[in-house]
Amino acid sequence: MRVRFAPSPTGALHIGGARTALFNWLLARHEGGELLLRIEDTDRERSTPENVQQILDALRWLELDWDEGPIMQTERSERHGEALRALLQAGHAYRCSATAQDVKAYKLAHGADRGFRGEPEPEADGSAAAVRLHVPEEGATVVHDVIRGDTRFEHVHLDDPVIARADGSALYNFAVAIDDLDAGITHVVRGEDHLSNTPKQLLVLEAARAAGFGPRSPLPVYAHLPLLHGPDGKKLSKRHGAASVQELRDAGYLPEAVRNYLALLGWGAGDDQTVLSTEELIERFELERVSRNPARFDETKLRWLNGVWIRELPVEDLTCRVAGFLRAGAHAGAAADARLPRAVQISQEKIHTLADFWPLTGALLDDDPVDDPKARERWLGEEGRGTLHDAREALAALEDFTEAQIGQALEGVLARRAVKPREVYQPLRVAIAGTTVSPGIFESVALLGRAETLRRIDRISESALDSGSEQAD
Ligand code: GLU
């Protein structure tokens, strides 16, 4: 089995493209086949080196490797020229200078659903007419699709497609077919939007074979993957959230979770299992199980799944990933903080993405914690300051500043004041983290250490007193 992923580098790698890459990769790995990467860079204006790099970076981040390539389609233009000459010589293609106007006139004369047939022009030296492929008059081209079954394209309705411009440069459907032929591609797996290109590509392959061009291999097997919709059932677009692999990375998703989620966009293991390791995906992936119905990309589900994967990770591994994420963002300094492993450990149960870590726990690592006036107002009134004072006393008196002792001390405060846990924990949380979100309170206090915990309590108590006396004045 030889499959290929053939992106056009016109921008970032989008969710749909990433799913196509993944399905090809899973298929190749499942079958022990080969995956070829071909960059379809014939759109010279949009196929910039930066765009090519973006695609490669996205594939590397997803940890999808390839066995051959990247092959640049533009580097194959001479070969496309050879194929073109072979088809012209064998009479399967012809020069034709028909314009869009001519095609229109033809349809008016013959009926709108009648495929256009051009007037062949003599092949002269330096001929400057475009090249069209002869579509046979009779019969039909049937696309046998593993996912969608057979789709029949009657030849009488197909235009003779233009396969090369007057300057000799190959057009898309021609280049793709010749590249697949030369590369010995056995399975073409791509998005459903390419289904209508397939008869043209099949006709090119048949013409090449009839002209004796290229290797004589069987026609590829086709599989067109279902469209992607957003949760609202509309075609997937930017307004449904993260649209590209880069955005998913920047949003703090893990590549293994993204692979897991993308695999479920149109494919299922058959037993409703949703959490699948990459090894399991490779083992269980089959094209025959891909649905023909549109699949829904729902970022909420991806977030949930990512949380599952985050909790699966050994702490050291998660710490490395959080550190990498912090380094790439606005809190690079924290990546080297010796307390980071423990901070990550106490956050692991509560975060869904790497990006969730800092808003939850950053205040404990940051010298300058968040200031949330609403939280102060709510929790550091007279009552709150009272419990905070007691908590401070209890913590200051501890022999060992361990989580267990911290827990006991704070529970003692609860009992003495006969209040609900949050009446003690929230004022303390606001004091140490500046806000009402943090990992578990005992763990958070222990992470901060005695000196810093007391310092923060004192600081906020003083500022509360200051503002209290201002009001009194
Ligand atoms: N280059 C095409 C695209 O990015 C895919 C071509 C193919 O897979 O045949 O949509």
Side-chain angles (χ1 to χ4, degrees):
M1 168 175 291
R2 279 172 66 79
V3 295
R4 83 300 196 274
F5 176 53
S8 304
T10 51
L13 182 61
H14 287 262
I15 307 285
R19 195 238 348 222
T20 302
L22 175 69
F23 280 27
N24 276 289
W25 184 82
L26 288 174
L27 191 61
R29 296 297 170 259
H30 177 83
E31 297 284 341
E34 281 141 26
L35 171 63
L36 179 143
L37 176 62
R38 180 171 73 228
I39 305 286
E40 304 205 316
D41 58 344
T42 43
D43 180 341
R44 300 307 285 161
E45 262 173 34
R46 296 171 75 196
S47 304
T48 59
E50 295 75 38
N51 284 343
V52 173
Q53 199 52 48
Q54 277 205 67
I55 305 260
L56 299 181
D57 287 347
L59 291 173
R60 288 197 184 107
W61 181 79
L62 281 168
E63 297 163 321
L64 300 180
D65 56 346
W66 51 91
D67 307 298
E68 261 180 66
I71 293 173
M72 297 290 159
Q73 194 159 49
T74 43
E75 283 169 13
R76 292 187 34 86
S77 54
E78 264 181 45
R79 181 68 177 161
H80 298 148
E82 281 170 32
L84 200 63
R85 284 190 290 280
L87 263 60
L88 280 166
Q89 261 163 27
H92 295 292
Y94 59 98
R95 297 273 176 192
C96 174
S97 47
T99 60
Q101 281 300 330
D102 298 331
V103 175
K104 224 174 179 178
Y106 184 95
K107 304 245 169 184
L108 270 177
H110 296 83
D113 66 346
R114 182 71 173 78
F116 174 75
R117 304 286 177 261
E119 278 304 317
E121 289 170 25
E123 175 75 0
D125 268 356
S127 175
V131 178
R132 284 184 187 263
L133 183 75
H134 270 303
V135 173
E137 265 319 296
E138 306 282 306
T141 290
V142 180
V143 176
H144 304 289
D145 186 295
V146 185
I147 299 164
R148 324 192 67 78
D150 288 357
T151 312
R152 210 180 145 82
F153 295 86
E154 299 294 339
H155 290 157
V156 65
H157 302 313
L158 293 181
D159 292 339
D160 281 355
V162 179
I163 55 174
R165 298 182 190 88
D167 66 5
S169 58
L171 261 81
Y172 173 70
N173 281 307
F174 184 68
V176 167
I178 298 301
D179 290 349
D180 285 343
L181 175 67
D182 277 343
I185 296 303
T186 61
H187 291 66
V188 171
V189 179
R190 58 188 172 192
E192 193 192 272
D193 46 330
H194 285 287
L195 182 62
S196 59
N197 286 326
T198 309
K200 296 177 206 166
Q201 295 176 13
L202 279 169
L203 287 164
V204 169
L205 290 173
E206 268 154 15
R209 172 182 298 185
F213 178 87
R216 282 193 71 82
S217 35
L219 294 171
V221 172
Y222 289 90
H224 290 92
L225 306 175
L227 286 177
L228 293 184
H229 285 174
D232 57 0
K234 304 226 171 81
K235 196 169 177 287
L236 189 64
S237 74
K238 203 90 192 124
R239 70 201 152 77
H240 294 110
S244 70
V245 173
Q246 271 85 357
E247 283 168 308
L248 293 179
R249 182 190 59 195
D250 296 346
Y253 292 106
L254 307 179
E256 55 267 60
V258 174
R259 287 195 297 272
N260 184 171
Y261 185 67
L262 290 179
L264 300 173
L265 293 179
W267 175 84
D271 55 5
D272 286 342
Q273 194 179 332
T274 42
V275 184
L276 290 135
S277 69
T278 300
E279 291 70 36
E280 285 173 299
L281 291 175
I282 291 174
E283 174 156 346
R284 301 178 69 172
F285 187 80
E286 276 170 8
L287 269 185
E288 288 73 15
R289 294 205 63 85
V290 176
S291 159
R292 57 173 88 175
N293 301 323
R296 269 170 203 237
F297 174 80
D298 183 349
E299 203 176 334
T300 331
K301 282 203 185 128
L302 170 59
R303 236 182 106 69
W304 168 81
L305 194 57
N306 202 68
V308 173
W309 277 101
I310 281 197
R311 287 187 285 286
E312 291 278 314
L313 287 179
V315 181
E316 309 77 66
D317 191 349
L318 182 57
T319 305
C320 279
R321 307 221 202 179
V322 169
F325 191 82
L326 293 175
R327 235 176 270 125
H331 307 288
D337 193 314
R339 297 167 300 171
L340 188 65
R342 180 65 188 150
V344 167
Q345 190 172 28
I346 65 176
S347 310
Q348 190 165 14
E349 286 296 317
K350 295 195 171 192
I351 58 175
H352 287 96
T353 65
L354 301 177
D356 288 347
F357 171 77
W358 192 260
L360 177 72
T361 315
L364 301 176
L365 302 176
D366 212 344
D367 290 337
D368 216 2
V370 203
D371 181 26
D372 177 352
K374 274 217 175 89
R376 258 193 286 129
E377 214 169 287
R378 165 74 182 83
W379 294 106
L380 291 177
E382 206 172 317
E383 186 66 29
R385 288 207 305 275
T387 50
L388 190 57
H389 173 80
D390 289 3
R392 189 204 189 280
E393 300 278 275
L395 292 173
L398 285 181
E399 214 157 281
D400 294 317
F401 209 70
T402 59
E403 265 162 42
Q405 291 220 0
I406 293 165
Q408 275 174 15
L410 295 178
E411 275 159 14
V413 177
L414 281 184
R416 282 197 297 284
R417 295 188 73 99
V419 289
K420 294 203 186 91
R422 59 198 209 122
E423 305 293 331
V424 175
Y425 301 157
Q426 289 301 64
L428 182 55
R429 204 170 243 130
V430 175
I432 63 165
T435 168
T436 50
V437 290
S438 82
I441 190 71
F442 307 159
E443 291 94 328
S444 298
V445 168
L447 178 75
L448 213 49
R450 187 190 327 247
E452 181 64 10
T453 301
L454 300 183
R455 192 181 73 80
R456 289 189 183 193
I457 294 176
D458 293 345
R459 184 170 61 181
I460 206 151
S461 307
E462 278 158 24
S463 72
L465 278 180
D466 284 352
S467 60
S469 57
E470 268 163 33
Q471 273 164 20
D473 284 346

